[in-house]
Amino acid sequence: MADQQHTDTVKKRNKRVMLSCAAVVGGMIGLSYASVPLYELFCQVTGFGGTPQVGKDTGVEVSEKTIKVRFNADVNSGLPWQFKPEQREITVRLGEDNLAYYMAENMSVKPITGQAVYNVTPLKAGQYFSKIACFCFDEQTLQPGERVDMPVSFYVDPAIAEDINTQDVKTITLSYTFFKSEASFEAVGRNEDQGG
């Protein structure tokens, strides 16, 4: 009788341990899928890692103080596009809406969809750089040989001049890198399946 109770107790403990382990593994898998979107959300909210803020309207006074904004463009090796800024550098007043342009051209013989990722350097300036409208918010599909201008509307928050950690920042670099999007990979797979 005592042996039976001991066996039942051990089985219950083993079952609890097994369920706990399964819950931990399930939670870890769930977190791994959620980690990228959660990290992106964290960066967008805090400006961490040089991620610019996304603004709707400046709502701030335009300052007489200015800062230089440089523009950089890169293309991942898997995307046969030419991509470059139309201007290398502009001087902007803090709080003022600004518009800059990048140019992208599909150098291949097939339609290709790309998407840009971006950051701001120095990283500590990211929370003060606010994009109002940007081509990076959506996937961009270019036809063979198509060339397009891609605008980005932004402002630099005047608070950057008041923050003791960013008072030394005189130049901000906005950098984009274009990658081939999943839509292009899926389209290529469909064409190959259909013999195209």
Side-chain angles (χ1 to χ4, degrees), residues 32-141:
S32 69
Y33 280 106
S35 64
V36 171
L38 289 174
Y39 180 73
E40 287 177 358
L41 179 63
F42 171 77
C43 289
Q44 288 171 356
V45 169
T46 64
F48 181 76
T51 302
Q53 300 297 293
V54 177
K56 293 183 178 146
D57 188 6
T58 62
V60 295
E61 268 188 50
V62 176
S63 170
E64 290 304 313
K65 295 180 180 178
T66 61
I67 195 165
K68 288 182 183 176
V69 178
R70 291 187 179 145
F71 302 94
N72 181 59
D74 295 300
V75 179
N76 178 270
S77 61
L79 182 65
W81 284 11
Q82 180 181 5
F83 176 58
K84 63 183 181 181
E86 294 288 349
Q87 60 290 300
R88 286 288 174 195
E89 178 181 287
I90 59 175
T91 299
V92 302
R93 293 192 320 172
L94 300 181
E96 183 176 53
D97 286 351
N98 297 279
L99 190 61
Y101 288 91
Y102 283 76
M103 183 282 299
E105 183 177 4
N106 182 354
M107 307 301 284
S108 78
V109 295
K110 294 182 179 179
I112 297 182
T113 301
Q115 185 155 16
V117 295
Y118 56 87
N119 73 336
V120 167
T121 53
L123 299 181
K124 61 186 176 180
Q127 63 183 320
Y128 297 107
F129 192 95
S130 295
K131 291 189 299 151
I132 300 166
C134 176
F135 56 86
C136 61
F137 296 147
D138 301 308
E139 292 182 336
Q140 308 291 327
T141 301

